[in-house]
């Protein structure tokens, strides 16, 4: 895998493990197009009929390309995980510069802990849900 330890294991690892736990199909470094021409998305998950793209970013430099890769994969969601809130703000500013577009993917940019919370809300582990009488 291309990224270093922080990129692969700290930022992406928990999400790939969570979706494996949910019995989703999980890919790391998933090719976007034929061969290596289209590049790779850091993580790609098929959870039922939902297509989810993951990118871990340490700066806002590549986020517009991340959106294009997620679109090419017809992802419903693009989750961009960042290590700190100041990078989150910079990434969101960069994304705000792009022309307004309709349709997928839904884009979420958050630091690691907040992203873990958001993912668990959107895709809950059914066995963890407690039923009240």
């Amino acid at each position: 895998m291309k990224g270093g330890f922080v990129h692969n294991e700290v930022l992406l690892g928990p999400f790939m493990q969570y979706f494996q736990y949910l019995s989703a199909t999980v890919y790391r470094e998933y090719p976007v197009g034929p061969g290596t021409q289209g590049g790779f998305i850091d993580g790609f998950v098929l959870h039922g009929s939902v297509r989810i793209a993951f990118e871990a970013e340490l700066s806002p430099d590549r986020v517009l390309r991340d959106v294009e890769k997620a679109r090419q994969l017809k992802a419903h969601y693009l989750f961009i995980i960042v290590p700190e809130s100041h990078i989150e703000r910079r990434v969101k500013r960069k994304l705000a510069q792009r022309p307004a577009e309709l349709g997928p993917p839904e884009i979420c940019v958050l630091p690691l802990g907040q992203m873990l919370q958001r993912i668990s809300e959107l895709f809950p582990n059914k066995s963890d849900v407690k039923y009240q009488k």
Side-chain angles (χ1 to χ4, degrees):
M1 294 187 349
K2 295 196 294 189
F5 179 79
V6 170
H7 180 272
N8 293 331
E9 301 307 322
V10 176
L11 293 177
L12 286 174
F15 302 99
M16 302 300 101
Q17 291 172 1
Y18 181 73
F19 279 101
Q20 285 175 328
Y21 181 72
L22 295 180
S23 299
T25 304
V26 175
Y27 302 95
R28 287 189 184 220
E29 292 295 326
Y30 190 80
V32 174
T36 58
Q37 302 278 64
F40 296 84
I41 197 107
D42 289 340
F44 188 61
V45 172
L46 299 171
H47 183 56
S49 63
V50 180
R51 301 166 68 86
I52 307 163
F54 284 92
E55 286 285 354
E57 294 296 355
L58 303 177
S59 80
D61 297 344
R62 295 184 299 268
V63 295
L64 297 179
R65 177 69 182 122
D66 295 343
V67 174
E68 182 55 34
K69 290 188 289 186
R71 284 180 174 269
Q72 289 176 343
L73 291 171
K74 296 178 177 32
H76 297 98
Y77 294 94
L78 169 59
F79 295 112
I80 301 174
I81 306 121
V82 296
E84 300 173 333
S85 59
H86 74 91
I87 296 173
E88 172 192 4
R89 289 188 297 273
R90 291 174 53 209
V91 167
K92 286 179 176 178
R93 276 196 301 270
K94 180 81 167 197
L95 289 170
Q97 295 173 1
R98 75 190 201 296
E101 302 175 53
L102 299 175
E106 180 178 325
I107 302 169
C108 182
V109 181
L110 289 170
L112 178 63
Q114 293 173 21
M115 187 67 83
L116 285 168
Q117 179 65 38
R118 181 72 178 132
I119 295 290
S120 67
E121 291 167 355
L122 286 171
F123 305 98
N125 177 8
K126 301 297 184 198
S127 65
D128 288 344
V129 175
K130 300 201 185 319
Y131 296 98
Q132 296 180 359
K133 292 183 181 182

